[in-house]
Amino acid sequence: MSISKTRHILVDVARQLFAKNGVERTTMNDIAVASGKGRRTLYTYFNSKEEIYAAVIESELERLSDKLDEVAEKKMRPQEKIIEVIYTHLTQIRETVVRNGNLRAEFFRNIWMVEKVRKKFDADEIALFRKVYAEGKASGEFDIENIDIVADITHYCIKGLEVPYIYGRLGRGLTLDSSRPLVAKFVYGALCRSGKYIDNRDSIKPDNFKTD
């Protein structure tokens, strides 16, 4: 079995145990036994439980990053892509936290560790926003003077919405479909030359995006 595959198994087993029992109540021996790899193999890859916990967070962020990359590669207008990226980020973060059961409390309690691990993800996402904004500016859809600043602001705004979105405090009573036009109107009003956007999907009417 390859080194990367063995490491992946150890990380996934640790994630499941953390999600079920919590990080504090899970030992390195628990992970070794559940993985069937033994303590020697486990300590070959990780020196401590904190180290494997960081690897679990990193693995979850890589899954999210892969989803965002998929959106970035889609053949769609930059205007559509920005909204797709925003919703993919928020929905995937929520699904990740919910999927991990008891581990989700650790995400919020040990925010320093999470922030330390997610630096690469944050940088990659900002780079993705820069790419999409550059596409939109080149095509004449976006009226942006400084792409780097707008990309930074977009990233940190979305990051700030993660916790209220996870707990359902954002847009109470709204569904994904009903909230999307409102988010689009806000984004397009700030970025687009015309201040409006026409979505071809039947569920959203063009008039919803017109600004005064």
Side-chain angles (χ1 to χ4, degrees):
M1 184 177 292
S2 68
I3 292 176
S4 60
K5 189 171 183 180
T6 299
R7 187 180 188 280
H8 175 76
I9 290 173
L10 292 171
V11 171
D12 191 55
V13 168
R15 182 193 65 77
Q16 293 179 50
L17 289 174
F18 291 158
K20 180 180 179 181
N21 305 319
V23 176
E24 291 184 2
R25 291 188 295 276
T26 300
T27 67
M28 290 290 276
N29 189 62
D30 292 335
I31 298 170
V33 172
S35 66
K37 299 297 179 184
R39 289 175 60 86
R40 178 175 296 180
T41 299
L42 178 61
Y43 278 99
T44 297
Y45 293 92
F46 304 100
N47 295 319
S48 65
K49 184 171 65 174
E50 289 70 27
E51 197 172 298
I52 196 168
Y53 170 58
V56 168
I57 298 173
E58 185 178 12
S59 176
E60 292 299 292
L61 290 172
E62 286 176 354
R63 291 178 68 255
L64 172 56
S65 185
D66 288 343
K67 291 289 186 181
L68 294 178
D69 287 341
E70 290 177 11
V71 175
E73 295 303 318
K74 287 184 177 181
K75 301 298 182 183
M76 60 173 59
R77 294 170 60 190
Q79 291 181 343
E80 297 172 335
K81 195 175 292 185
I82 285 296
I83 301 302
E84 194 73 19
V85 169
I86 291 173
Y87 272 85
T88 298
H89 177 120
L90 292 174
T91 55
Q92 288 297 315
I93 282 286
R94 182 168 62 184
E95 287 177 14
T96 295
V97 172
V98 172
R99 183 172 70 93
N100 281 292
N102 288 328
L103 182 56
R104 61 189 173 191
E106 298 292 336
F107 289 143
F108 301 119
R109 182 162 57 243
N110 196 350
I111 196 67
W112 179 86
M113 171 68 81
V114 175
E115 284 298 308
K116 181 179 178 180
V117 175
R118 73 176 286 172
K119 283 183 178 179
K120 182 181 183 301
F121 166 78
D122 288 348
D124 288 345
E125 183 174 68
I126 290 172
L128 185 152
F129 277 122
R130 288 173 181 168
K131 179 181 177 181
V132 178
Y133 284 141
E135 292 174 0
K137 184 174 182 178
S139 67
E141 293 184 12
F142 293 151
D143 185 14
I144 301 175
E145 292 185 9
N146 191 312
I147 290 174
D148 290 350
I149 291 179
V150 174
D152 286 349
I153 291 173
T154 305
H155 165 75
Y156 288 110
C157 284
I158 297 172
K159 189 173 180 179
L161 293 174
E162 289 174 358
V163 173
Y165 190 83
I166 289 169
Y167 284 112
R169 297 169 185 162
L170 184 65
R172 288 179 177 174
L174 292 176
T175 64
L176 287 178
D177 283 340
S178 62
S179 67
R180 197 165 178 131
L182 302 176
V183 173
K185 184 175 182 180
F186 177 82
V187 173
Y188 300 144
L191 298 175
C192 296
R193 291 184 180 279
S194 63
K196 63 181 179 179
Y197 169 73
I198 297 178
D199 194 311
N200 293 324
R201 296 178 307 164
D202 293 336
S203 61
I204 300 178
K205 303 301 183 183
D207 288 344
N208 289 338
F209 296 95
K210 292 180 180 178
T211 57
D212 295 332

